[in-house]
Amino acid sequence: MLLLSLFPSLESISPLGLQIVSVAAWLSLIILSAWGVNRFAKADPEIVRKVVHIGTGNVILLAWWLHIPAIVGISASILAGTITLLSYRFPILPGINSVGRRSFGTFFYSVSIGILVAWFWHLQQPHYAALGILVMAWGDGLAAVIGQRFGKHKYKLFGGQKSWEGSSTMAVVSYFICSLILLSVQGNSWQTWVISLVVALVATGLETVSFMGVDNLTVPIGSAALAFLLSQFFSS
């Protein structure tokens, strides 16, 4: 491996150790980037949260590509969820409730990662877990940023305010994410494009009707489950 040739000392570390170090390095980079954006760019706190939101979601790609054992992902999910719950009561993560509304989104985010890893690692089809998490990370993350910055056409649903610009971003990004992952696994076929379209529309609908951050649970699990079930249906 190139990494081992550049750092010979890494050869003494076990494969699992290297996997965990890789994930820890990525998460450290995300935290450092968020700190830098907040410290030097004086960005809106919501922008900083989305940097963490999107960056953290990409960890699922490392877990997939590096073949990290399911138990590691599940354990990390439980730990993150526990810390998140405690942070609602104690100032462990001061920025977690900075969205200006009551939300358990960060907790649901941790739970959804654990559920999807447990489910699709067991089926030896981790790409569906990656699909669900990345739809949430990039779709919802960019939808929030675009909606807040450029959302001029507002609408309300179940007491929550959304924008057509944000919802459109969610749909387009979700479609792109689904297409890219399914293309890499299933190849270029009409099923890939149809599944991606259906998943993108459903994910956008789930994000639209969210409340108290529950979309961080329904969107990733719903997207992954729908893509998996449709793929099974078309293949049969």
Side-chain angles (χ1 to χ4, degrees):
M1 293 174 61
L2 177 60
L3 184 61
L4 294 179
S5 65
L6 293 176
F7 302 96
S9 61
L10 293 179
E11 293 181 353
S12 61
I13 303 178
S14 67
L16 179 59
L18 283 175
Q19 294 167 339
I20 294 176
V21 167
S22 299
V23 171
W26 174 257
L27 292 177
S28 298
L29 178 61
I30 294 303
I31 294 173
L32 182 61
S33 300
W35 177 84
V37 171
N38 183 56
R39 177 71 172 79
F40 299 106
K42 304 297 182 182
D44 186 319
E46 183 68 8
I47 300 296
V48 178
R49 288 185 71 255
K50 292 308 176 183
V51 169
V52 176
H53 179 86
I54 294 174
T56 302
N58 288 331
V59 168
I60 196 69
L61 288 176
L62 290 177
W64 173 19
W65 295 339
L66 297 178
H67 306 288
I68 292 178
I71 188 61
V72 175
I74 296 171
S75 299
S77 170
I78 293 173
L79 177 62
T82 301
I83 293 175
T84 301
L85 283 180
L86 290 174
S87 70
Y88 289 107
R89 182 65 179 84
F90 305 101
I92 300 174
L93 302 173
I96 201 167
N97 290 318
S98 63
V99 293
R101 63 184 185 276
R102 185 64 170 172
S103 173
F104 291 96
T106 308
F107 171 69
F108 290 140
Y109 200 14
S110 302
V111 172
S112 65
I113 291 176
I115 291 175
L116 290 179
V117 167
W119 183 1
F120 290 108
W121 256 246
H122 173 70
L123 296 178
Q124 298 185 349
Q125 299 192 69
H127 54 280
Y128 290 112
L131 185 153
I133 296 300
L134 292 179
V135 163
M136 185 65 216
W138 285 95
D140 178 74
L142 293 179
V145 173
I146 297 298
Q148 289 186 0
R149 293 234 167 186
F150 307 104
K152 297 182 179 180
H153 302 86
K154 308 288 186 180
Y155 66 93
K156 287 188 176 182
L157 193 62
F158 298 108
Q161 180 171 278
K162 303 286 183 178
S163 71
W164 287 109
E165 290 83 358
S167 295
S168 298
T169 300
M170 177 70 183
V172 171
V173 173
S174 298
Y175 182 75
F176 177 77
I177 293 293
C178 292
S179 300
L180 198 60
I181 291 178
L182 293 180
L183 276 172
S184 68
V185 177
Q186 301 178 1
N188 184 9
S189 65
W190 66 268
Q191 291 95 333
T192 291
W193 306 112
V194 170
I195 292 172
S196 298
L197 178 60
V198 174
V199 170
L201 293 176
V202 171
T204 302
L206 291 173
E207 193 275 337
T208 299
V209 299
S210 66
F211 57 92
M212 296 183 67
V214 73
D215 56 324
N216 281 351
L217 188 65
T218 59
V219 170
I221 294 178
S223 299
L226 183 58
F228 172 70
L229 292 174
L230 287 176
S231 295
Q232 295 298 307
F233 173 76
F234 286 131
S235 64
S236 62

